[in-house]
Amino acid sequence: MAISNDDALVRVENIEKTYTRGSGRDATEVHVLAGLNFTIKKGDFVALMGPSGSGKTTLLNIIAGIDRPSLGSIAVDGLETTNLSESQLARWRSENVGFIFQLYNLIPVLTAAENVELPLLLTKLGKAKRREHVETALKIVGLGDRMHHYPRQLSGGQEQRVAIARAIVTDPLLILADEPTGDLDKVAGVEVLTLLKRLNAEFGKTILMVTHDPHAAESAKRIVHLEKGVLVRDDEVNSVR
Amino acid sequence: MNAAGLIIANAVRNKRRTILTILSLGASVFLFATLESLLQYMTSHALDNGSARRIVVRRKTSLQDRLPQSYIQKVASVDGIECVTPMVWFGGIYKEETAKNMFGQLSCDPETWHSVIPEAEILDPATGKPAPQLYDDFRKDRQGALAGIHLFEKFGWKIGDQIVLQGKIYPCNLTLNLRAAYNAPRGGTDESTLYYHHKYIDESLGNPGLIGVVEARVKNSDDIPRLIDQIDGGFADSDFQTFTETEQAFSLGFVKMLGNLTMLVHSIATAVAFTMLMVAANTTASAARERAHEVAVMKAIGFAPTTVLRYLLFENVLVAFSGAGLGAAAAYFFSAQVRAAMQQSPMAFFFEQYQMAPAIAIGSTLVGAIVGLCAALIPCARVAWMPISTTLRRVA
């Protein structure tokens, strides 16, 4: 079922993304996204599914402003992001987007607390305030007692929870998760999904999660299926069940 | 944590590589600073030990060719010349022929020497205090010698000691009585030369009536160009044509005689700097490549490419500065060892006062840091501006 556009946080209109593969005579154009229209309302938890090469991660990256569409426009909270410069996009991301990666991507030479503090270095918060935010974020993900541990001293699940704390520490409008359970065992995966559901339910965070895993997708409120760059299904989770 | 903490944490993340980079840069800067310091010393030594009010008249054909003794009076009579002294470089062997025993041995006219070199202060080497009366002892003793204070210190000489210089260039030995010491607290002349009576060597050689150079003090330094023209012009038609120059130029001439050496030293210093650049560039390039994924993550979090570049450059400059500082400090504190090492060379007497100037150490540190910055600029900029999505996808 399509979502009403009235309370849309993210509005994707006629997005096309084309890559050129090879060069010269061998150059071929690959259409990753083909005229996609898509919205995410505030407070929603959307799972983006589809086979490999369907354009899921590309769409996620375009919404995050780390990739640019060939055609079309993206608006997040009313701001047209496709026209922003690299540095404007970076600043916008630091204030509005929390990123969760499949491979956690923590900085190995920083402790859990320092990794979580990283996005706050881009704010004007003082040291004490930053510390307060870091403690709060780590407590939310249940790692208040692992603040001074380095990534190598944490399990995969704990690392991903630190990454989630890093994603929420700036209190962003939108959390984008790219296969957040893809590298975790089942138990750790469930913990992470539970945490994402909690962030959505308790803290009202809007989440867009790319996943291959249908069970993971069921944690979301809405599942969107992409195939060959085209949106083929858009369902509320209750209606799927 | 703050930005500085992040930079330091990243700079030392691979301790072995950081230490090796610091050591290799340090070794390069050590070599660079030492070579540059030696060159600077050679030039400044020549300038510091020369007076702007003295000129040296020598044979035009070669410094090794002699001038007739009559030229002393002829030069002295030129209008604008205050006083003159003849000089002959004896180049004898003291005790044994080793580099550490080499020092300048010049004849002079004791009646005029102090007028020609008034900046020299006569000392009692035992007390280190001025003792002008000792100059009379030197003047009155035909075999008397006046030596720079460094020679007294180096060889443990005392007033009244007798030393023998075995002739190497000339077929005679000089037996000299040490009568006085001198120093030059305000510069102007070096403190490692021994002076003896010109009459003594002339007699020892059978009165050939030849001298090496005429050293003259002029009344007004502004007259020097005119005096040079007048002196050299006056002897232009003689069998003994002269070449006159300021004492500073004369001293610099010795450095210029090492022309190939200075060029070689410069070339080595340049090669060292280039090697430093290559080492730093290679390390930075591989470190930056390894960090590409992490940089992409930081940019995805919201760090602008310029901010990331700034952090990466600070990291590299920090490492380069540490290495360069270490190398420059080592070169500074080891310059005494360099001086000791030079004692084995034929230029030993020239390097007796060698000490690296702090400015060279500071300059070399800055050169190292700048080299680190230059080496890091391209690889770091490349990583900082890599497309985030491509980098994340490729490395993942």
Side-chain angles (χ1 to χ4, degrees), chain B residues 77-91:
Chain B
S77 64
V78 173
D79 183 32
I81 297 292
E82 192 173 285
C83 48
V84 300
T85 178
M87 284 186 181
V88 167
W89 174 272
F90 186 63

Side-chain angles (χ1 to χ4, degrees), chain A residues 19 57-58 61 66-67 86-87 90-91 93-94 99 101 103 105 107-110 114 117-119 121-122 130 166, chain B residues 1-3 5-6 9-10 13 293-294 297-305 307 311 387-389 392-393 396:
Chain A
Y19 290 111
T57 298
T58 302
N61 288 343
I66 62 175
D67 202 351
E86 279 296 310
S87 54
R91 188 181 175 85
R93 270 198 305 277
S94 73
F99 236 109
F101 304 91
L103 297 173
N105 288 332
I107 309 286
V109 292
L110 302 181
E114 288 168 340
E117 193 180 0
L118 202 56
L121 295 181
L122 297 165
R130 291 204 306 265
R166 181 177 65 185
Chain B
M1 186 189 66
N2 51 22
L6 178 64
N10 278 321
R13 61 163 48 205
H293 185 74
E294 211 171 281
V297 170
M298 285 180 70
K299 284 164 64 185
I301 286 171
F303 286 83
T307 310
Y311 286 1
I388 305 171
S389 56
L392 286 176
R393 193 171 295 158

Side-chain angles (χ1 to χ4, degrees), chain A residues 183-202:
Chain A
D183 204 50
L184 299 176
D185 60 37
K186 197 172 178 183
V187 176
V190 168
E191 279 175 7
V192 166
L193 290 170
T194 306
L195 187 55
L196 290 176
K197 279 168 77 174
R198 197 179 143 219
L199 289 173
N200 176 249
E202 279 183 38

Side-chain angles (χ1 to χ4, degrees), chain B residues 259-274:
Chain B
N260 288 337
L261 178 66
T262 54
M263 196 181 76
L264 182 69
V265 171
H266 262 312
S267 306
I268 294 171
T270 309
V272 168
F274 185 71

Side-chain angles (χ1 to χ4, degrees), chain B residues 128-151:
Chain B
K129 290 182 178 167
Q133 71 281 4
L134 293 178
Y135 190 77
D136 264 355
D137 298 344
F138 163 60
R139 194 170 52 79
K140 289 173 188 167
D141 181 359
R142 196 176 58 90
Q143 286 178 252
L146 166 71
I149 189 70
H150 287 312
L151 294 179

Side-chain angles (χ1 to χ4, degrees), chain A residues 168-179:
Chain A
I168 62 171
V169 75
T170 54
D171 193 22
L173 280 175
L174 182 62
I175 294 173
L176 300 173
D178 191 0
E179 303 272 10

